Amino acid sequence: MIPRFYPIFDHPDWLRRALPLGVEFVQLRIKDQPQGRLRALLAEGRDLCRAHGAQMVVNDHWELAIELGCDWLHLGQEDLETADLAAIRAAGLKLGLSTHDEDELARALAARPDYVALGPVWPTILKKMKWHQQGVETLTRWKQLCQGVPLVAIGGLSVERAPLAFAAGADCVSVVTDITLNADPEARLRQWLEVTR
Ligand SMILES: Cc1ncc(COP(=O)(O)OP(=O)(O)O)c(N)n1
Ligand SMILES: Cc1nc(C(=O)O)sc1CCOP(=O)(O)O
Ligand SMILES: [Mg+2]
């Protein structure tokens, strides 16, 4: 099983603030960086997480995740068309996959992932998507369809909404702007750790 709390950040500096508070499962979602800089940032995040006994998930960059000996990878549906799943598995990486409708869920489950994410459960401001809001009832449907594969809820999550996601069937809640846009991110992280204990 995966931890119940799964924040996503865009730079290792966030890990320096979150890991000492007790965050155990975290994603580096780095976009629009040249390869050399990206490699350095991912290696920095990998080393910070290992030093704190936490697990880091690499978003998108499966070849670097293999090269750097990372433990977890998250891929979107479009990544599935090009990623070398055999190489990813041979490298021992655990794999999380995004889903947004039942076709994507079937495709994801066929890849035998270590978690499935459903989003956006509530509207998100982080990225433009063709899906607006899945609703918690879709989490319950996904829980049935996932047949034991851990289910991550993502999109518009807040400390206040987390209990609703767990009650609907989520095993884990993943969050970005409720933390990163908060005036006191450390205080918000402590609230998150409390609500996901
Ligand atoms: C936990 C989690 N769920 C979903 C996503 C979205 O991944 P993806 O579809 O690859 O989109 P981008 O994040 O790359 O814009 C995620 N990163 N993490
Ligand atoms: C990165 C991402 N993926 C989503 C999906 O539905 O696949 S929603 C999302 C953004 C999550 O950010 P916030 O917690 O700020 O809403
Ligand atoms: Mg991606």
Side-chain angles (χ1 to χ4, degrees):
M1 188 49 84
I2 57 176
R4 284 160 55 88
F5 177 42
Y6 179 13
I8 298 176
F9 299 118
D10 62 4
H11 194 283
D13 285 349
W14 279 108
L15 303 185
R16 288 188 171 83
R17 300 171 72 176
L19 294 170
L21 301 177
V23 168
E24 299 174 324
F25 193 57
V26 61
Q27 182 180 130
L28 272 186
R29 178 177 178 270
I30 301 173
K31 301 283 184 182
D32 309 323
Q33 288 290 337
Q35 194 73 349
R37 177 76 178 134
L38 179 60
R39 179 183 286 105
L41 290 169
L42 292 175
E44 186 180 348
R46 175 201 61 194
D47 295 346
L48 283 166
C49 284
R50 286 187 179 158
H52 285 84
Q55 298 179 83
M56 186 183 86
V57 183
V58 174
N59 180 50
D60 293 343
H61 311 294
W62 62 274
E63 287 147 313
L64 279 174
I66 292 174
E67 178 192 328
L68 295 172
C70 293
D71 301 310
W72 277 93
L73 174 69
H74 182 91
L75 294 178
Q77 289 282 321
E78 67 289 346
D79 305 316
L80 272 181
E81 280 142 38
T82 52
D84 183 343
L85 289 181
I88 290 163
R89 289 309 193 183
L93 280 156
K94 291 186 177 69
L95 178 64
L97 296 176
S98 299
T99 65
H100 305 94
D101 59 34
E102 293 205 16
D103 286 347
E104 291 192 355
L105 179 59
R107 197 174 308 129
L109 291 174
R112 305 182 67 75
D114 297 281
Y115 72 70
V116 161
L118 169 68
V121 178
W122 286 275
T124 182
I125 61 170
L126 189 78
K127 59 181 280 192
K128 285 272 168 278
M129 305 180 70
K130 71 179 187 181
W131 299 273
H132 175 62
Q133 176 173 324
Q134 302 282 4
V136 293
E137 59 284 348
T138 308
L139 274 174
T140 305
R141 172 102 177 106
W142 253 232
K143 187 65 185 164
Q144 292 159 356
L145 294 172
C146 281
Q147 296 183 335
V149 175
L151 176 59
V152 176
I154 188 167
L157 266 294
S158 66
V159 166
E160 296 74 20
R161 287 172 171 168
L164 301 175
F166 288 127
D171 298 295
C172 173
V173 288
S174 189
V175 57
V176 185
T177 55
D178 188 66
I179 298 166
T180 60
L181 297 184
N182 191 284
D184 186 344
E186 281 80 354
R188 197 63 169 170
L189 276 163
R190 287 192 187 91
Q191 287 180 290
W192 270 105
L193 288 164
E194 183 59 29
V195 80
T196 56
R197 266 176 345 123

